[in-house]
Amino acid sequence: MRYDLVIFDNDGVLVDSEPISNRVLAGYLTELGYPTTVEDSYRDYMGCAAHTVHDVIGERYGARLPEGFDELFHARVFAAFGRELTPVAGAETLLKALRQRGVPYCVASSAHHEWIRTALDLTGLRGHHEEERIFSAQDVGVGKPAPDLFLHAARSLGVDPARCLVVEDSRNGVLAARAAGMDVYGYAALTDPAKLTGAGATGLLTDLAEVLDLLAV
């Protein structure tokens, strides 16, 4: 087999959370006086660590978001998740197939651990992931596009980065994987394929089932 480990981003790759979280974020920022469309949110925050929202607002408006912003944002998102969140099409089938074939995999997300686990619980995917194979930017103190998270996941599982296959749906995720020396395939469901290839994606996926084809090379 060409790869010893498959690393999945979570939001937008395993769980269909991006439309929900970006809609909630855009609405909340607009409510606070920082007009933001859903498209703006995708452009500025998709695939980024939580602190990026604070950084962008500070740079763009010279302002600080209110105390408790993150907690209230998460509460609103989790409430919406409870009503709307579903797995990405084909995600559960792919994870089952990987387990049946004995292919090691993990999750590496810029989101907080609570966010990752809440999303996996609500979509019924949590049972497909061992606790020690769920990695968050919280573990390394920096999110994508820095390579630290992916390198941490590979090191923790004893795998050479060059033997890792990453599945990402954001430009920052692709940049992080490439900086880590890993092959990365862009899942182009919501993201402009040109942004993924422009960031250095090894290739593109339009269906998660295609991951199995990559493992057979």
Side-chain angles (χ1 to χ4, degrees):
M1 190 173 68
R2 183 176 174 182
Y3 301 105
D4 295 332
L5 178 67
V6 181
I7 304 178
F8 293 102
D9 179 42
N10 192 46
D11 294 294
V13 173
L14 296 179
V15 300
D16 197 16
S17 54
E18 294 291 6
I20 301 170
S21 59
N22 282 282
R23 184 189 73 226
V24 172
L25 179 58
Y28 189 15
L29 290 174
T30 299
E31 176 186 317
L32 291 173
Y34 310 111
T36 305
T37 65
V38 175
E39 291 72 22
D40 293 336
S41 185
Y42 279 131
R43 182 194 65 224
D44 294 335
Y45 309 119
M46 184 172 166
C48 298
H51 67 79
T52 304
V53 182
H54 297 265
D55 296 342
V56 170
I57 294 300
E59 293 167 5
R60 192 167 292 166
Y61 296 96
R64 296 183 62 181
L65 291 169
E67 186 175 347
F69 172 86
D70 290 341
E71 291 76 11
L72 181 54
F73 169 53
H74 287 174
R76 291 184 180 189
V77 170
F78 292 165
F81 278 2
R83 298 187 299 269
E84 307 171 44
L85 189 61
T86 59
V88 167
E92 185 167 20
T93 299
L94 173 58
L95 295 178
K96 286 180 178 179
L98 293 176
R99 290 175 73 90
Q100 289 170 353
R101 298 185 185 194
V103 178
Y105 65 86
C106 69
V107 172
S109 168
S110 283
H112 290 177
H113 276 290
E114 180 188 13
W115 179 295
I116 301 168
R117 285 164 171 75
T118 296
L120 292 175
D121 281 336
L122 289 171
T123 55
L125 297 180
R126 179 75 173 273
H128 296 286
H129 299 277
E130 299 169 5
E131 279 298 309
E132 63 272 18
R133 291 177 177 267
I134 299 176
F135 299 98
S136 161
Q138 281 182 296
D139 301 331
V140 293
V142 62
K144 306 163 189 176
D148 304 49
L149 175 57
F150 288 135
L151 291 172
H152 170 64
R155 183 169 55 250
S156 298
L157 299 176
V159 178
D160 182 342
R163 298 283 296 173
C164 294
L165 166 64
V166 178
V167 183
E168 267 286 353
D169 71 326
S170 73
R171 180 177 181 275
N172 279 340
V174 171
L175 289 171
R178 296 303 292 170
M182 301 175 178
D183 280 358
V184 52
Y185 279 73
Y187 180 58
L190 289 174
T191 311
D192 180 354
K195 289 186 177 181
L196 298 172
T197 55
T202 311
L204 296 173
L205 304 171
T206 56
D207 186 321
L208 288 180
E210 296 172 54
V211 171
L212 297 176
D213 297 330
L214 298 175
L215 297 174
V217 173

